Amino acid sequence: MLYWALVFLVVAIIAGLFGFGGIASASAGIAQILFFIFLILFVVALVARAMRGRAP
């Protein structure tokens, strides 16, 4: 998922350089949403790992 966020970020930067404002803002928005979803899933995985603890 982080890969796709980076892909959309690169697309947004390239589209912004060429002057395609609508495409750039849409791609940047998608990248931002994917990044936050990845971040939330990462935190949930860390908490789940901490709650599980070590096996005896």
Side-chain angles (χ1 to χ4, degrees):
M1 191 172 314
L2 188 59
Y3 170 77
W4 285 109
L6 291 173
V7 167
F8 279 108
L9 180 65
V10 169
V11 168
I13 291 171
I14 292 172
L17 287 175
F18 288 120
F20 298 111
I23 296 172
S25 64
S27 295
I30 293 171
Q32 186 177 13
I33 291 169
L34 288 176
F35 175 76
F36 284 122
I37 290 172
F38 169 79
L39 194 64
I40 290 168
L41 290 175
F42 179 70
V43 170
V44 168
L46 284 178
V47 169
R49 174 78 171 154
M51 297 291 278
R52 187 169 52 172
R54 294 184 180 204

